[in-house]
Amino acid sequence: MSKHPSVEAYIAARNAGNADAASRIVAEVTARYETRTTDGSELAELLDANLTTPLASKER
């Protein structure tokens, strides 16, 4: 479990196969990091989640 809600939301989006939401979360976290409104731990956890959580396929 992450200490960052954004990482939990990212994992949920990937598990749901929602690539658009996952991409939006990455963009938001990256923007916060670039403007130094967050430290690197949020971005590091997001990277770890990206490497360990496969994008599920959406069922139609």
Side-chain angles (χ1 to χ4, degrees):
M1 178 171 258
S2 171
K3 68 178 185 174
H4 300 286
S6 60
V7 176
E8 294 298 324
Y10 177 80
I11 291 170
R14 298 225 2 135
N15 286 334
N18 191 341
D20 292 337
S23 293
R24 187 190 82 254
I25 293 166
V26 169
E28 290 170 359
V29 172
T30 301
R32 282 197 297 276
Y33 177 74
E34 288 174 348
T35 59
R36 303 297 188 248
T37 54
T38 185
D39 64 8
S41 67
E42 183 180 19
L43 195 57
E45 282 191 30
L46 195 63
L47 173 61
D48 185 57
N50 178 266
L51 296 173
T52 60
T53 309
L55 181 63
S57 18
K58 281 187 172 180
E59 294 193 29
R60 296 182 181 226

